[in-house]
Amino acid sequence: MSWIREGELNLIERFTANILKAGPMPKHVAFIMDGNRRFARRQNMECLKGHMQGFNKLAETLRWCKHLDIQEVTVYAFSIENFKRTKDEVDGLMDLAREKFLKLLDERENLEKHGVCIRVLGDLNMLPLDLQQLIAKAVLTTKSHDKCFLNVCFSYTSRYEITNAVREMAWGVEQGLIKASDVSETLLSECLYSSNSPNPDLLIRTSGEVRLSDFLLWQTSHSCIVFQSVLWPEYSFWNLCDAILRYQLSYKSIQKARDLHREHQALQQQEADREVVAELLQHHGNGKPVDAQRRQDALQHYATCREERVQDFLRALKHKRDSYFNGLWSETALA
Ligand code: FPP
Ligand code: MG
């Protein structure tokens, strides 16, 4: 089963999609694809078959998303916690990933035709080396595609991602690229694995579990969260429409919360800059009073320098991450 499913929606699906599209549509939807093993048990299948059906459902869901103009999808494919499952299941999931990323490379022309960019978010170092290399190859192959985005969270948890972002900022301070006072909510967001994506508008968890299980905790503070009882391999177009409808019903309050948060963030940054500048002026002016215009100019100058510093740091971080992927790629090329 391939990543890209061709095919149009049927008449009634198309009709429903058009009605939904008259309202505000989520641009980025995240899925916790839960319930594969329960589905397998109910069907008297091996648990791995449940995961395989789960992958097939992902491909089908991507097709629906495309027809619903949802340009970005993020899925929880393998949590760091999942390493604690039986060796057979973990090995089976690694084999499934190997098979699917190989398939992805086979399908590169089709992915290019549809403009699909695949990103993998997580700590790849925890994976077998051959899988790391395969993933690096897949990610680099689709890197320049820009019509739609699939983020596969693999060897991922949100707390790990946030901790890693904090470590990256500490590295930046250590290297003298940024100052400790440059650390902010905005900068932390830029250091997450998900920094290239807008936050999800809608997060869907299947199988009736009503928790986030350490998935995108930072990114979904202003997202619509929908829990659905259906097991992931049984997910349908209608389940997706139901979730979108619920997003549309809460759209106004979500937008309001997002706007308020954005304003609050900007004020927080201004306040932080003001404090640093006041201290600098105090220090350099030997405690003499500073007129309002000079204070304003200093503030403006400081904000510009801070932004330049932060952008340099983010470029260095991107270079570090790109080098990791390129290194894995060249190892495979040499092999
Ligand atoms: C949760 O169901 C699902 C997983 C831990 C794995 C999900 C993986 C896929 C759908 C395949 C994706 C593969 C690639 C390469 C993208 P569960 O095992 O927790 O089931 P349960 O809740 O019924 O026990
Ligand atoms: Mg589960």
Side-chain angles (χ1 to χ4, degrees), residues 3 33-39 41 51 54-55 58 76-77 82 85 89 93 96-97 100-101 152 154 207 232:
W3 291 73
M33 311 179 285
D34 198 17
N36 292 351
R37 294 184 300 184
R38 270 167 283 172
F39 170 80
R41 268 197 299 276
H51 293 313
F55 178 85
L58 167 60
Y76 209 2
N82 290 153
R85 292 191 176 187
E89 188 179 351
L93 279 164
L96 181 62
K100 296 306 174 188
F101 282 108
V152 180
F154 207 92
S207 93
W232 175 251

PDB file of all heavy atoms in Angstrom, residues 3 33-39 41 51 54-55 58 76-77 82 85 89 93 96-97 100-101 152 154 207 232, ligand 1:
ATOM      1  N   TRP A   3       1.767   5.532  -0.108  1.00  0.00           N
ATOM      2  CA  TRP A   3       1.450   6.704   0.714  1.00  0.00           C
ATOM      3  C   TRP A   3       0.377   7.556   0.045  1.00  0.00           C
ATOM      4  O   TRP A   3      -0.410   8.213   0.716  1.00  0.00           O
ATOM      5  CB  TRP A   3       2.708   7.569   0.907  1.00  0.00           C
ATOM      6  CG  TRP A   3       3.760   6.953   1.765  1.00  0.00           C
ATOM      7  CD1 TRP A   3       4.576   5.916   1.433  1.00  0.00           C
ATOM      8  CD2 TRP A   3       4.127   7.321   3.109  1.00  0.00           C
ATOM      9  NE1 TRP A   3       5.426   5.627   2.472  1.00  0.00           N
ATOM     10  CE2 TRP A   3       5.182   6.484   3.510  1.00  0.00           C
ATOM     11  CE3 TRP A   3       3.672   8.302   4.004  1.00  0.00           C
ATOM     12  CZ2 TRP A   3       5.783   6.570   4.767  1.00  0.00           C
ATOM     13  CZ3 TRP A   3       4.274   8.404   5.250  1.00  0.00           C
ATOM     14  CH2 TRP A   3       5.310   7.537   5.627  1.00  0.00           C
ATOM     15  N   MET A  33      -3.311   8.321  16.098  1.00  0.00           N
ATOM     16  CA  MET A  33      -3.961   7.194  15.398  1.00  0.00           C
ATOM     17  C   MET A  33      -4.044   6.016  16.360  1.00  0.00           C
ATOM     18  O   MET A  33      -3.270   5.074  16.270  1.00  0.00           O
ATOM     19  CB  MET A  33      -3.132   6.816  14.165  1.00  0.00           C
ATOM     20  CG  MET A  33      -2.746   8.001  13.279  1.00  0.00           C
ATOM     21  SD  MET A  33      -1.763   7.519  11.853  1.00  0.00           S
ATOM     22  CE  MET A  33      -0.173   7.201  12.590  1.00  0.00           C
ATOM     23  N   ASP A  34      -5.010   6.065  17.281  1.00  0.00           N
ATOM     24  CA  ASP A  34      -5.025   5.055  18.350  1.00  0.00           C
ATOM     25  C   ASP A  34      -6.077   3.972  18.098  1.00  0.00           C
ATOM     26  O   ASP A  34      -7.127   4.244  17.512  1.00  0.00           O
ATOM     27  CB  ASP A  34      -5.302   5.768  19.686  1.00  0.00           C
ATOM     28  CG  ASP A  34      -4.918   4.899  20.871  1.00  0.00           C
ATOM     29  OD1 ASP A  34      -4.159   3.921  20.681  1.00  0.00           O
ATOM     30  OD2 ASP A  34      -5.382   5.195  21.983  1.00  0.00           O
ATOM     31  N   GLY A  35      -5.769   2.776  18.578  1.00  0.00           N
ATOM     32  CA  GLY A  35      -6.745   1.678  18.534  1.00  0.00           C
ATOM     33  C   GLY A  35      -6.387   0.559  17.567  1.00  0.00           C
ATOM     34  O   GLY A  35      -7.199  -0.337  17.329  1.00  0.00           O
ATOM     35  N   ASN A  36      -5.169   0.572  17.038  1.00  0.00           N
ATOM     36  CA  ASN A  36      -4.784  -0.467  16.055  1.00  0.00           C
ATOM     37  C   ASN A  36      -4.822  -1.879  16.647  1.00  0.00           C
ATOM     38  O   ASN A  36      -5.279  -2.826  15.997  1.00  0.00           O
ATOM     39  CB  ASN A  36      -3.349  -0.212  15.550  1.00  0.00           C
ATOM     40  CG  ASN A  36      -3.248   1.041  14.718  1.00  0.00           C
ATOM     41  OD1 ASN A  36      -4.248   1.637  14.368  1.00  0.00           O
ATOM     42  ND2 ASN A  36      -2.031   1.448  14.398  1.00  0.00           N
ATOM     43  N   ARG A  37      -4.321  -2.021  17.898  1.00  0.00           N
ATOM     44  CA  ARG A  37      -4.252  -3.376  18.464  1.00  0.00           C
ATOM     45  C   ARG A  37      -5.641  -3.876  18.865  1.00  0.00           C
ATOM     46  O   ARG A  37      -5.963  -5.055  18.673  1.00  0.00           O
ATOM     47  CB  ARG A  37      -3.312  -3.405  19.667  1.00  0.00           C
ATOM     48  CG  ARG A  37      -1.870  -3.126  19.266  1.00  0.00           C
ATOM     49  CD  ARG A  37      -0.931  -3.243  20.428  1.00  0.00           C
ATOM     50  NE  ARG A  37      -1.262  -2.287  21.493  1.00  0.00           N
ATOM     51  CZ  ARG A  37      -0.540  -2.125  22.601  1.00  0.00           C
ATOM     52  NH1 ARG A  37       0.523  -2.855  22.799  1.00  0.00           N
ATOM     53  NH2 ARG A  37      -0.912  -1.235  23.507  1.00  0.00           N
ATOM     54  N   ARG A  38      -6.479  -2.970  19.387  1.00  0.00           N
ATOM     55  CA  ARG A  38      -7.837  -3.387  19.732  1.00  0.00           C
ATOM     56  C   ARG A  38      -8.578  -3.822  18.472  1.00  0.00           C
ATOM     57  O   ARG A  38      -9.306  -4.820  18.469  1.00  0.00           O
ATOM     58  CB  ARG A  38      -8.596  -2.227  20.409  1.00  0.00           C
ATOM     59  CG  ARG A  38      -8.433  -2.217  21.921  1.00  0.00           C
ATOM     60  CD  ARG A  38      -8.899  -0.933  22.523  1.00  0.00           C
ATOM     61  NE  ARG A  38      -7.906   0.136  22.323  1.00  0.00           N
ATOM     62  CZ  ARG A  38      -8.131   1.413  22.612  1.00  0.00           C
ATOM     63  NH1 ARG A  38      -9.307   1.796  23.076  1.00  0.00           N
ATOM     64  NH2 ARG A  38      -7.184   2.313  22.421  1.00  0.00           N
ATOM     65  N   PHE A  39      -8.337  -3.100  17.392  1.00  0.00           N
ATOM     66  CA  PHE A  39      -8.957  -3.462  16.115  1.00  0.00           C
ATOM     67  C   PHE A  39      -8.475  -4.857  15.704  1.00  0.00           C
ATOM     68  O   PHE A  39      -9.279  -5.718  15.331  1.00  0.00           O
ATOM     69  CB  PHE A  39      -8.566  -2.432  15.046  1.00  0.00           C
ATOM     70  CG  PHE A  39      -8.948  -2.826  13.659  1.00  0.00           C
ATOM     71  CD1 PHE A  39     -10.252  -2.666  13.203  1.00  0.00           C
ATOM     72  CD2 PHE A  39      -8.005  -3.390  12.787  1.00  0.00           C
ATOM     73  CE1 PHE A  39     -10.608  -3.049  11.914  1.00  0.00           C
ATOM     74  CE2 PHE A  39      -8.355  -3.769  11.511  1.00  0.00           C
ATOM     75  CZ  PHE A  39      -9.658  -3.607  11.068  1.00  0.00           C
ATOM     76  N   ARG A  41      -7.299  -7.252  17.604  1.00  0.00           N
ATOM     77  CA  ARG A  41      -7.846  -8.284  18.505  1.00  0.00           C
ATOM     78  C   ARG A  41      -9.282  -8.626  18.118  1.00  0.00           C
ATOM     79  O   ARG A  41      -9.660  -9.785  18.052  1.00  0.00           O
ATOM     80  CB  ARG A  41      -7.795  -7.804  19.959  1.00  0.00           C
ATOM     81  CG  ARG A  41      -6.507  -8.226  20.675  1.00  0.00           C
ATOM     82  CD  ARG A  41      -6.635  -8.131  22.195  1.00  0.00           C
ATOM     83  NE  ARG A  41      -6.902  -6.778  22.653  1.00  0.00           N
ATOM     84  CZ  ARG A  41      -5.945  -5.848  22.863  1.00  0.00           C
ATOM     85  NH1 ARG A  41      -4.688  -6.136  22.656  1.00  0.00           N
ATOM     86  NH2 ARG A  41      -6.271  -4.652  23.289  1.00  0.00           N
ATOM     87  N   HIS A  51      -1.507  -2.562  12.915  1.00  0.00           N
ATOM     88  CA  HIS A  51      -0.679  -1.392  12.572  1.00  0.00           C
ATOM     89  C   HIS A  51      -0.608  -1.210  11.048  1.00  0.00           C
ATOM     90  O   HIS A  51      -0.611  -0.086  10.558  1.00  0.00           O
ATOM     91  CB  HIS A  51       0.723  -1.542  13.159  1.00  0.00           C
ATOM     92  CG  HIS A  51       0.752  -1.492  14.662  1.00  0.00           C
ATOM     93  ND1 HIS A  51       0.090  -0.533  15.390  1.00  0.00           N
ATOM     94  CD2 HIS A  51       1.366  -2.301  15.587  1.00  0.00           C
ATOM     95  CE1 HIS A  51       0.286  -0.729  16.688  1.00  0.00           C
ATOM     96  NE2 HIS A  51       1.053  -1.811  16.825  1.00  0.00           N
ATOM     97  N   GLY A  54      -3.548   0.309  10.033  1.00  0.00           N
ATOM     98  CA  GLY A  54      -3.445   1.705  10.495  1.00  0.00           C
ATOM     99  C   GLY A  54      -2.716   2.549   9.469  1.00  0.00           C
ATOM    100  O   GLY A  54      -3.130   3.668   9.181  1.00  0.00           O
ATOM    101  N   PHE A  55      -1.663   2.006   8.888  1.00  0.00           N
ATOM    102  CA  PHE A  55      -0.942   2.760   7.851  1.00  0.00           C
ATOM    103  C   PHE A  55      -1.850   2.979   6.637  1.00  0.00           C
ATOM    104  O   PHE A  55      -1.894   4.078   6.065  1.00  0.00           O
ATOM    105  CB  PHE A  55       0.349   2.041   7.420  1.00  0.00           C
ATOM    106  CG  PHE A  55       1.038   2.807   6.325  1.00  0.00           C
ATOM    107  CD1 PHE A  55       1.894   3.846   6.619  1.00  0.00           C
ATOM    108  CD2 PHE A  55       0.760   2.534   4.984  1.00  0.00           C
ATOM    109  CE1 PHE A  55       2.485   4.601   5.613  1.00  0.00           C
ATOM    110  CE2 PHE A  55       1.343   3.283   3.966  1.00  0.00           C
ATOM    111  CZ  PHE A  55       2.210   4.311   4.286  1.00  0.00           C
ATOM    112  N   LEU A  58      -4.074   5.696   7.205  1.00  0.00           N
ATOM    113  CA  LEU A  58      -3.396   6.995   7.101  1.00  0.00           C
ATOM    114  C   LEU A  58      -3.374   7.452   5.636  1.00  0.00           C
ATOM    115  O   LEU A  58      -3.706   8.609   5.331  1.00  0.00           O
ATOM    116  CB  LEU A  58      -1.961   6.883   7.659  1.00  0.00           C
ATOM    117  CG  LEU A  58      -1.014   8.047   7.360  1.00  0.00           C
ATOM    118  CD1 LEU A  58      -1.568   9.348   7.934  1.00  0.00           C
ATOM    119  CD2 LEU A  58       0.379   7.782   7.942  1.00  0.00           C
ATOM    120  N   TYR A  76       0.992  10.871  14.920  1.00  0.00           N
ATOM    121  CA  TYR A  76       1.796  10.246  15.975  1.00  0.00           C
ATOM    122  C   TYR A  76       1.996   8.794  15.556  1.00  0.00           C
ATOM    123  O   TYR A  76       1.113   7.964  15.732  1.00  0.00           O
ATOM    124  CB  TYR A  76       1.001  10.310  17.285  1.00  0.00           C
ATOM    125  CG  TYR A  76       1.801  10.366  18.558  1.00  0.00           C
ATOM    126  CD1 TYR A  76       3.185  10.402  18.567  1.00  0.00           C
ATOM    127  CD2 TYR A  76       1.140  10.425  19.795  1.00  0.00           C
ATOM    128  CE1 TYR A  76       3.886  10.494  19.768  1.00  0.00           C
ATOM    129  CE2 TYR A  76       1.832  10.519  20.997  1.00  0.00           C
ATOM    130  CZ  TYR A  76       3.204  10.552  20.974  1.00  0.00           C
ATOM    131  OH  TYR A  76       3.894  10.639  22.161  1.00  0.00           O
ATOM    132  N   ALA A  77       3.139   8.492  14.954  1.00  0.00           N
ATOM    133  CA  ALA A  77       3.340   7.138  14.420  1.00  0.00           C
ATOM    134  C   ALA A  77       4.092   6.238  15.389  1.00  0.00           C
ATOM    135  O   ALA A  77       3.892   5.026  15.398  1.00  0.00           O
ATOM    136  CB  ALA A  77       4.092   7.205  13.095  1.00  0.00           C
ATOM    137  N   ASN A  82       6.569   3.998  23.200  1.00  0.00           N
ATOM    138  CA  ASN A  82       6.296   2.738  22.486  1.00  0.00           C
ATOM    139  C   ASN A  82       7.494   1.784  22.486  1.00  0.00           C
ATOM    140  O   ASN A  82       7.331   0.593  22.254  1.00  0.00           O
ATOM    141  CB  ASN A  82       5.860   3.005  21.043  1.00  0.00           C
ATOM    142  CG  ASN A  82       4.488   3.635  20.928  1.00  0.00           C
ATOM    143  OD1 ASN A  82       4.180   4.342  19.983  1.00  0.00           O
ATOM    144  ND2 ASN A  82       3.637   3.393  21.918  1.00  0.00           N
ATOM    145  N   ARG A  85       7.120  -1.370  24.534  1.00  0.00           N
ATOM    146  CA  ARG A  85       6.260  -2.495  24.131  1.00  0.00           C
ATOM    147  C   ARG A  85       7.118  -3.736  23.886  1.00  0.00           C
ATOM    148  O   ARG A  85       8.342  -3.660  23.915  1.00  0.00           O
ATOM    149  CB  ARG A  85       5.469  -2.108  22.881  1.00  0.00           C
ATOM    150  CG  ARG A  85       4.459  -1.016  23.190  1.00  0.00           C
ATOM    151  CD  ARG A  85       3.504  -0.798  22.070  1.00  0.00           C
ATOM    152  NE  ARG A  85       2.498   0.181  22.460  1.00  0.00           N
ATOM    153  CZ  ARG A  85       1.444   0.495  21.748  1.00  0.00           C
ATOM    154  NH1 ARG A  85       1.228  -0.090  20.584  1.00  0.00           N
ATOM    155  NH2 ARG A  85       0.561   1.386  22.174  1.00  0.00           N
ATOM    156  N   GLU A  89       6.703  -6.486  18.937  1.00  0.00           N
ATOM    157  CA  GLU A  89       5.898  -5.382  18.392  1.00  0.00           C
ATOM    158  C   GLU A  89       6.795  -4.225  17.928  1.00  0.00           C
ATOM    159  O   GLU A  89       6.575  -3.668  16.832  1.00  0.00           O
ATOM    160  CB  GLU A  89       4.879  -4.886  19.427  1.00  0.00           C
ATOM    161  CG  GLU A  89       3.916  -3.874  18.802  1.00  0.00           C
ATOM    162  CD  GLU A  89       2.845  -3.349  19.742  1.00  0.00           C
ATOM    163  OE1 GLU A  89       2.698  -3.871  20.860  1.00  0.00           O
ATOM    164  OE2 GLU A  89       2.147  -2.387  19.330  1.00  0.00           O
ATOM    165  N   LEU A  93       7.066  -2.832  14.192  1.00  0.00           N
ATOM    166  CA  LEU A  93       6.793  -1.437  13.799  1.00  0.00           C
ATOM    167  C   LEU A  93       7.989  -0.835  13.055  1.00  0.00           C
ATOM    168  O   LEU A  93       7.809  -0.057  12.113  1.00  0.00           O
ATOM    169  CB  LEU A  93       6.437  -0.603  15.032  1.00  0.00           C
ATOM    170  CG  LEU A  93       4.979  -0.748  15.489  1.00  0.00           C
ATOM    171  CD1 LEU A  93       4.784  -0.228  16.908  1.00  0.00           C
ATOM    172  CD2 LEU A  93       4.015  -0.016  14.542  1.00  0.00           C
ATOM    173  N   LEU A  96       7.834  -2.209   9.603  1.00  0.00           N
ATOM    174  CA  LEU A  96       6.773  -1.530   8.848  1.00  0.00           C
ATOM    175  C   LEU A  96       7.271  -0.156   8.373  1.00  0.00           C
ATOM    176  O   LEU A  96       7.062   0.229   7.209  1.00  0.00           O
ATOM    177  CB  LEU A  96       5.532  -1.377   9.740  1.00  0.00           C
ATOM    178  CG  LEU A  96       4.318  -0.711   9.110  1.00  0.00           C
ATOM    179  CD1 LEU A  96       3.795  -1.526   7.920  1.00  0.00           C
ATOM    180  CD2 LEU A  96       3.186  -0.529  10.130  1.00  0.00           C
ATOM    181  N   ALA A  97       7.964   0.544   9.274  1.00  0.00           N
ATOM    182  CA  ALA A  97       8.499   1.871   8.896  1.00  0.00           C
ATOM    183  C   ALA A  97       9.520   1.718   7.768  1.00  0.00           C
ATOM    184  O   ALA A  97       9.499   2.488   6.801  1.00  0.00           O
ATOM    185  CB  ALA A  97       9.113   2.547  10.111  1.00  0.00           C
ATOM    186  N   LYS A 100       7.708   1.147   4.555  1.00  0.00           N
ATOM    187  CA  LYS A 100       6.969   2.306   4.051  1.00  0.00           C
ATOM    188  C   LYS A 100       7.886   3.433   3.591  1.00  0.00           C
ATOM    189  O   LYS A 100       7.591   4.121   2.618  1.00  0.00           O
ATOM    190  CB  LYS A 100       5.981   2.823   5.118  1.00  0.00           C
ATOM    191  CG  LYS A 100       4.897   1.827   5.465  1.00  0.00           C
ATOM    192  CD  LYS A 100       4.155   1.345   4.229  1.00  0.00           C
ATOM    193  CE  LYS A 100       3.153   0.248   4.519  1.00  0.00           C
ATOM    194  NZ  LYS A 100       2.569  -0.337   3.298  1.00  0.00           N
ATOM    195  N   PHE A 101       9.015   3.626   4.272  1.00  0.00           N
ATOM    196  CA  PHE A 101       9.929   4.678   3.810  1.00  0.00           C
ATOM    197  C   PHE A 101      10.641   4.260   2.522  1.00  0.00           C
ATOM    198  O   PHE A 101      10.927   5.093   1.665  1.00  0.00           O
ATOM    199  CB  PHE A 101      10.905   5.102   4.919  1.00  0.00           C
ATOM    200  CG  PHE A 101      10.250   6.011   5.930  1.00  0.00           C
ATOM    201  CD1 PHE A 101       9.939   5.566   7.206  1.00  0.00           C
ATOM    202  CD2 PHE A 101       9.910   7.321   5.588  1.00  0.00           C
ATOM    203  CE1 PHE A 101       9.302   6.402   8.127  1.00  0.00           C
ATOM    204  CE2 PHE A 101       9.275   8.162   6.497  1.00  0.00           C
ATOM    205  CZ  PHE A 101       8.967   7.699   7.775  1.00  0.00           C
ATOM    206  N   VAL A 152       5.537  13.196  10.217  1.00  0.00           N
ATOM    207  CA  VAL A 152       5.415  11.905  10.882  1.00  0.00           C
ATOM    208  C   VAL A 152       6.205  11.980  12.191  1.00  0.00           C
ATOM    209  O   VAL A 152       7.430  12.100  12.162  1.00  0.00           O
ATOM    210  CB  VAL A 152       5.976  10.777   9.983  1.00  0.00           C
ATOM    211  CG1 VAL A 152       5.856   9.431  10.681  1.00  0.00           C
ATOM    212  CG2 VAL A 152       5.262  10.745   8.636  1.00  0.00           C
ATOM    213  N   PHE A 154       7.913  10.340  14.951  1.00  0.00           N
ATOM    214  CA  PHE A 154       8.461   8.993  15.081  1.00  0.00           C
ATOM    215  C   PHE A 154       9.598   9.071  16.080  1.00  0.00           C
ATOM    216  O   PHE A 154      10.513   9.877  15.913  1.00  0.00           O
ATOM    217  CB  PHE A 154       8.969   8.516  13.702  1.00  0.00           C
ATOM    218  CG  PHE A 154       8.940   7.030  13.551  1.00  0.00           C
ATOM    219  CD1 PHE A 154       7.835   6.376  13.013  1.00  0.00           C
ATOM    220  CD2 PHE A 154      10.018   6.254  13.969  1.00  0.00           C
ATOM    221  CE1 PHE A 154       7.799   4.997  12.891  1.00  0.00           C
ATOM    222  CE2 PHE A 154       9.988   4.875  13.849  1.00  0.00           C
ATOM    223  CZ  PHE A 154       8.884   4.247  13.306  1.00  0.00           C
ATOM    224  N   SER A 207     -10.194   6.132  19.158  1.00  0.00           N
ATOM    225  CA  SER A 207     -10.260   4.963  20.060  1.00  0.00           C
ATOM    226  C   SER A 207     -10.878   5.236  21.415  1.00  0.00           C
ATOM    227  O   SER A 207     -10.872   4.368  22.283  1.00  0.00           O
ATOM    228  CB  SER A 207      -8.879   4.310  20.243  1.00  0.00           C
ATOM    229  OG  SER A 207      -8.198   4.821  21.368  1.00  0.00           O
ATOM    230  N   TRP A 232      -8.760   3.560  15.071  1.00  0.00           N
ATOM    231  CA  TRP A 232      -8.127   4.191  13.904  1.00  0.00           C
ATOM    232  C   TRP A 232      -8.310   3.416  12.595  1.00  0.00           C
ATOM    233  O   TRP A 232      -8.684   4.005  11.566  1.00  0.00           O
ATOM    234  CB  TRP A 232      -6.648   4.480  14.198  1.00  0.00           C
ATOM    235  CG  TRP A 232      -5.928   5.018  12.999  1.00  0.00           C
ATOM    236  CD1 TRP A 232      -4.995   4.383  12.245  1.00  0.00           C
ATOM    237  CD2 TRP A 232      -6.145   6.293  12.368  1.00  0.00           C
ATOM    238  NE1 TRP A 232      -4.587   5.180  11.201  1.00  0.00           N
ATOM    239  CE2 TRP A 232      -5.282   6.356  11.243  1.00  0.00           C
ATOM    240  CE3 TRP A 232      -6.980   7.387  12.640  1.00  0.00           C
ATOM    241  CZ2 TRP A 232      -5.228   7.464  10.401  1.00  0.00           C
ATOM    242  CZ3 TRP A 232      -6.920   8.487  11.794  1.00  0.00           C
ATOM    243  CH2 TRP A 232      -6.064   8.527  10.694  1.00  0.00           C
TER     244      TRP A 232
HETATM  245  C1  FPP B   1      -1.596   3.233  18.382  1.00  0.00           C
HETATM  246  O1  FPP B   1      -2.463   2.112  18.474  1.00  0.00           O
HETATM  247  C2  FPP B   1      -0.772   3.167  17.160  1.00  0.00           C
HETATM  248  C3  FPP B   1       0.589   3.047  17.126  1.00  0.00           C
HETATM  249  C4  FPP B   1       1.408   2.974  18.353  1.00  0.00           C
HETATM  250  C5  FPP B   1       1.321   2.959  15.873  1.00  0.00           C
HETATM  251  C6  FPP B   1       0.726   3.754  14.754  1.00  0.00           C
HETATM  252  C7  FPP B   1       1.442   3.471  13.527  1.00  0.00           C
HETATM  253  C8  FPP B   1       0.884   3.405  12.312  1.00  0.00           C
HETATM  254  C9  FPP B   1      -0.535   3.689  12.041  1.00  0.00           C
HETATM  255  C10 FPP B   1       1.767   3.083  11.156  1.00  0.00           C
HETATM  256  C11 FPP B   1       2.438   4.330  10.714  1.00  0.00           C
HETATM  257  C12 FPP B   1       3.686   4.014  10.012  1.00  0.00           C
HETATM  258  C13 FPP B   1       4.396   4.927   9.329  1.00  0.00           C
HETATM  259  C14 FPP B   1       5.630   4.501   8.685  1.00  0.00           C
HETATM  260  C15 FPP B   1       3.959   6.326   9.177  1.00  0.00           C
HETATM  261  P1  FPP B   1      -2.207   1.110  19.679  1.00  0.00           P
HETATM  262  O2  FPP B   1      -1.089   0.195  19.297  1.00  0.00           O
HETATM  263  O3  FPP B   1      -1.975   1.916  20.939  1.00  0.00           O
HETATM  264  O4  FPP B   1      -3.550   0.311  19.760  1.00  0.00           O
HETATM  265  P2  FPP B   1      -4.432   0.061  21.077  1.00  0.00           P
HETATM  266  O5  FPP B   1      -4.708   1.417  21.670  1.00  0.00           O
HETATM  267  O6  FPP B   1      -5.650  -0.607  20.583  1.00  0.00           O
HETATM  268  O7  FPP B   1      -3.612  -0.785  22.003  1.00  0.00           O
END
